[in-house]
């Protein structure tokens, strides 16, 4: 299965921007869905944004109009552009890859995003 490595997290002030990257170990062009999830302390892991192999995108209501997911197939990379960051965006962000024919999905190790007030 594909291996995923996230990067780009860090400390950022409110209203700032970060771009997270998820680099896959193999082609992502035909993976059914790539996504970003996040998990804040004491909270359930939640879907932030997803993109299908046909580039259909979905966003959690809490990040709609602020975050943008994109894919660069030649680089085997999925990005999450995060603008207008809020303290409530603080979480560990995980890259996800799923395919209907896979026995299980792939998850990255996560990258910490901390937004100060």
């Amino acid at each position: 299965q594909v291996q995923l490595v996230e990067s780009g997290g860090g400390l950022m002030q409110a209203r700032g921007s970060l771009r997270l990257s998820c680099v896959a170990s193999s082609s992502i062009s035909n993976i059914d869905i790539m996504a970003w999830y996040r998990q804040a302390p004491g909270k359930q892991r939640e879907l932030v944004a997803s993109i299908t192999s046909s580039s259909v995108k979905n966003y959690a209501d809490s990040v709609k109009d602020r975050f943008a997911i994109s894919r660069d197939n030649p680089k085997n990379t999925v990005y999450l552009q995060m603008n207008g960051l809020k303290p409530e965006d603080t979480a560990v962000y995980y890259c996800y890859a799923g395919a209907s024919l896979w026995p299980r999905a792939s998850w990255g190790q996560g990258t910490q995003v901390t937004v100060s007030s």
Side-chain angles (χ1 to χ4, degrees):
Q1 286 192 301
V2 66
Q3 297 169 350
L4 308 172
V5 179
E6 305 99 330
S7 63
L11 297 171
M12 181 57 62
Q13 70 274 19
R15 297 177 56 83
S17 297
L18 287 172
R19 187 175 75 162
L20 306 183
S21 298
C22 171
V23 180
S25 60
S26 58
S27 175
I28 65 169
S29 61
N30 292 315
I31 295 175
D32 291 339
I33 187 167
M34 303 284 297
W36 288 95
Y37 286 74
R38 68 185 181 188
Q39 188 165 23
K43 298 288 187 179
Q44 297 289 321
R45 187 170 297 188
E46 65 173 343
L47 177 65
V48 176
S50 64
I51 182 168
T52 69
S53 59
S54 59
S55 296
V56 175
K57 301 172 184 179
N58 285 286
Y59 298 94
D61 288 341
S62 59
V63 307
K64 194 167 296 184
D65 300 323
R66 297 190 297 119
F67 292 8
I69 190 169
S70 61
R71 185 182 63 216
D72 188 337
N73 288 346
K75 295 182 178 179
N76 294 338
T77 301
V78 173
Y79 302 99
L80 184 67
Q81 179 66 47
M82 305 187 295
N83 299 324
L85 284 164
K86 303 175 180 180
E88 52 262 45
D89 295 320
T90 295
V92 177
Y93 284 71
Y94 297 92
C95 188
Y96 167 97
S100 61
L101 296 180
W102 292 356
R104 50 185 165 270
S106 292
W107 291 89
Q109 293 291 109
T111 184
Q112 176 72 48
V113 172
T114 302
V115 183
S116 61
S117 59

